Amino acid sequence: MNIIIVGCGKVGYTLVEQLSGEDHNIVVIDEKEEKVKSITDELDAMGIVGNGVSYQVLQEAGITDTDLLIAVTGSDEQNLLCCVIAKKAGNCKTIARVRNPIYNEESNFLRKELGLAMIINPELTSASEIARIFQFPSAVKIDTFSKGRIELLHFRVTKECLLNNYELIHIRTTLKCEVLVCMVTRGEEVLIPKGDFVFQEGDIVAIISTPPRANEFFKKIGIGTGRIHSAMVVGGGTIAYYLAKRLLAVGIETKIIEQDSARCDQLNELLPRATVICGDGTDQKLLLQEGLSSMDGFAALTGMDEENILLSLFAKKTSSAKIVTKINRINFNSVLNDLKLDSITYPRLLTADTIIKYARSMNESLNSNVENLYKLEEGQAEALEFYIKETSPVTDTPLERLPLRKNLLICCINRGGKFIIPGGQDELRVGDSVVVVLTHSRLNDIKDILEV
């Protein structure tokens, strides 16, 4: 597939980094030569220095043969205009990053009238993820499949948790829970466990299930369920605005601490039901005075990673709140893992993953489209959802008779709305949605689950 990426910032770099290994021809465009050179020197992409809105520059980049253009410059208006010109010049699919909340209410209109395939808003995407976590606080991270009917939930095994020193096979035989453990992260190792696997304190476990069955499972292993009732947000930026709006809409009392008085005035006007405190969110006395110790949820959303980390550690020490930490840089994941923060949100990675899911689903040559894709554990594993469109070597044969790849697990089958945890006698059929988790390899088609 031929792809043009306009904008060589952090999101553009991440997109090239992840897409370049998937047999795509990628051209990047940016007005700053050093940014273009940085990407083309390190990654498999061609580069053009110029304005992505320019018809001539797009022609030079090969717009007439392009399948997908992704505009992720720092300007919403430039991204939208670039997509409009690309659509007219090459009739390709287009994706625009649009961050200004003014455009959010109009996103459906803009997408339809401008002929965009997708408008992606990193701050809104991050806020949505945090809101889901606050409504299911047992989870460290939540990925959704089948339009939210199936969830991949990541949680940490604590010392008090029933799973500590517990053998995997007993989840089905003793606890009789209809969930499937599809991945365990232990330190820097990512495992797809078998029945004799024994959980340990500190393991990050990923289960796949429907929300009601996951709730039942968490109750049985002694991890609390139920959404939070109050939340404190430090930092009054765009993510905080979107998050507070969502929390207030479902009845969660929300308090925002922001240092800039003009921004506080804006938030008071935009969110009249929220409590907005004008003050330094890194002031420990202020946090305690505003009730941190009694909060159910806490989100550190300032513009500095270091502040967010320290705020989260302080909140963890002084409260029992579910804590979410925003991180912009992704270079120090191994260090962050050692800190055992509750949940971390990476706006840049969320944006890239959303776009990559769409890029994969575009490939019409596949017999079974990738409907959803989630990069897991710094790219060491992937969870993919396939829709089976036609018969193939993987259909209508019991799974136990298929020569499946190593380090791969078929996690669930959605058949007409029915959730199936597959056993050896189950078969894949045309019309099924299938979720697969694997490590250390790539799948582009459902047939790739078979050993060559």
Side-chain angles (χ1 to χ4, degrees):
M1 189 161 67
N2 298 323
I3 300 174
I4 294 176
I5 297 174
V6 182
C8 293
K10 292 178 180 179
V11 172
Y13 184 95
T14 303
L15 285 169
V16 177
E17 186 179 38
Q18 297 193 19
L19 287 170
S20 60
E22 300 186 7
D23 198 27
H24 300 304
N25 299 314
I26 300 175
V27 179
V28 295
I29 300 173
D30 199 285
E31 294 182 271
K32 295 185 177 179
E33 184 177 357
E34 63 273 17
K35 286 189 174 183
V36 174
K37 191 174 187 302
S38 174
I39 287 185
T40 55
D41 284 351
E42 295 180 32
L43 304 172
D44 184 16
M46 294 180 59
I48 294 176
V49 178
N51 189 331
V53 173
S54 165
Y55 173 75
Q56 184 177 343
V57 170
L58 290 175
Q59 286 285 92
E60 186 182 349
I63 190 64
T64 54
D65 297 318
T66 294
D67 301 296
L68 175 65
L69 179 136
I70 305 165
V72 287
T73 75
S75 165
D76 293 347
E77 292 77 13
Q78 185 174 346
N79 291 337
L80 290 168
L81 183 56
C82 179
C83 287
V84 170
I85 294 173
K87 185 78 177 173
K88 297 290 184 181
N91 197 32
C92 59
K93 301 288 186 182
T94 58
I95 297 175
R97 181 176 67 172
V98 178
R99 307 173 71 176
N100 194 323
I102 293 173
Y103 297 123
N104 184 55
E105 302 297 329
E106 304 165 352
S107 60
N108 289 333
F109 171 81
L110 290 171
R111 186 173 57 81
K112 182 179 178 181
E113 294 301 318
L114 301 183
L116 306 179
M118 179 190 298
I119 289 179
I120 180 72
N121 184 329
E123 286 77 14
L124 179 60
T125 304
S126 295
S128 299
E129 181 185 58
I130 298 170
R132 282 202 306 272
I133 290 171
F134 277 168
Q135 293 181 66
F136 209 135
S138 304
V140 173
K141 187 174 184 290
I142 303 173
D143 302 312
T144 60
F145 300 94
S146 296
K147 298 179 180 178
R149 290 188 291 269
I150 298 170
E151 293 180 331
L152 180 66
L153 299 107
H154 309 248
F155 68 96
R156 191 185 303 275
V157 176
T158 62
K159 185 177 181 180
E160 299 78 18
C161 174
L162 178 64
L163 290 192
N164 191 15
N165 297 318
Y166 199 78
E167 198 169 1
L168 171 59
I169 194 171
H170 294 311
I171 290 177
R172 295 293 295 274
T173 59
T174 305
L175 295 182
K176 300 189 183 303
C177 291
E178 292 188 68
V179 302
L180 182 71
V181 175
C182 50
M183 189 180 71
V184 176
T185 304
R186 179 172 291 169
E188 296 185 0
E189 190 176 11
V190 179
L191 308 165
I192 293 181
K194 297 183 179 179
D196 59 354
F197 180 85
V198 178
F199 298 100
Q200 295 179 7
E201 180 185 355
D203 286 349
I204 301 292
V205 180
I207 64 165
I208 197 158
S209 184
T210 60
R213 292 174 181 176
N215 265 319
E216 181 185 356
F217 169 70
F218 282 127
K219 287 178 182 177
K220 287 187 176 181
I221 66 173
I223 293 179
T225 60
R227 75 180 190 191
I228 66 171
H229 300 286
S230 60
M232 177 181 287
V233 179
V234 178
T238 309
I239 296 178
Y241 162 72
Y242 285 130
L243 175 60
K245 191 174 180 181
R246 293 214 165 198
L247 297 181
L248 291 165
V250 294
I252 296 173
E253 294 181 13
T254 306
K255 182 174 288 188
I256 303 172
I257 299 178
E258 165 59 40
Q259 196 163 11
D260 184 271
S261 59
R263 180 58 176 168
C264 288
D265 291 339
Q266 289 178 335
L267 291 171
N268 272 317
E269 187 175 339
L270 292 168
L271 302 166
R273 290 194 293 138
T275 302
V276 180
I277 306 298
C278 188
D280 183 0
T282 62
D283 184 338
Q284 297 180 11
K285 290 182 179 179
L286 176 64
L287 294 176
L288 294 174
Q289 181 182 320
E290 294 301 331
L292 171 60
S293 57
S294 61
M295 289 289 169
D296 299 324
F298 179 86
L301 304 179
T302 76
M304 294 183 62
D305 292 351
E306 296 82 0
E307 278 190 4
N308 291 337
I309 292 168
L310 291 173
L311 283 166
S312 297
L313 292 174
F314 179 71
K316 188 174 183 179
K317 180 180 178 181
T318 56
S319 76
S320 57
K322 175 66 182 181
I323 301 166
V324 180
T325 312
K326 185 189 79 169
I327 300 293
N328 291 311
R329 287 169 291 181
I330 57 176
N331 307 48
F332 302 102
N333 278 352
S334 59
V335 176
L336 293 175
N337 290 339
D338 291 340
L339 295 176
K340 293 183 171 55
L341 300 171
D342 276 6
S343 296
I344 301 174
T345 183
Y346 298 93
R348 189 204 328 175
L349 289 183
L350 286 172
T351 302
D353 284 349
T354 302
I355 294 172
I356 289 167
K357 276 188 278 184
Y358 181 83
R360 279 195 168 187
S361 69
M362 269 186 63
N363 195 336
E364 296 296 334
S365 66
L366 301 182
N367 290 323
S368 302
N369 282 343
V370 177
E371 297 286 301
N372 264 313
L373 158 70
Y374 291 99
K375 296 279 186 180
L376 308 174
E377 302 305 323
E378 302 176 45
Q380 294 184 67
E382 289 185 350
L384 302 102
E385 181 179 13
F386 293 95
Y387 178 71
I388 302 181
K389 297 192 296 184
E390 59 185 33
T391 56
S392 73
V394 305
T395 58
D396 306 315
T397 301
L399 294 178
E400 64 183 10
R401 289 169 49 192
L402 293 177
L404 297 177
R405 286 189 182 199
K406 294 179 180 178
N407 300 315
L408 178 146
L409 184 65
I410 299 175
C411 296
C412 74
I413 302 169
N414 181 11
R415 181 170 296 152
K418 181 182 178 183
F419 173 75
I420 301 169
I421 294 179
Q425 294 300 313
D426 286 300
E427 302 175 353
L428 303 182
R429 300 176 187 172
V430 174
D432 286 349
S433 287
V434 183
V435 178
V436 177
V437 169
L438 71 157
T439 60
H440 309 301
S441 58
R442 288 187 182 276
L443 299 184
N444 290 315
D445 185 88
I446 188 65
K447 296 192 296 294
D448 295 338
I449 67 174
L450 304 178
E451 284 281 8
V452 179

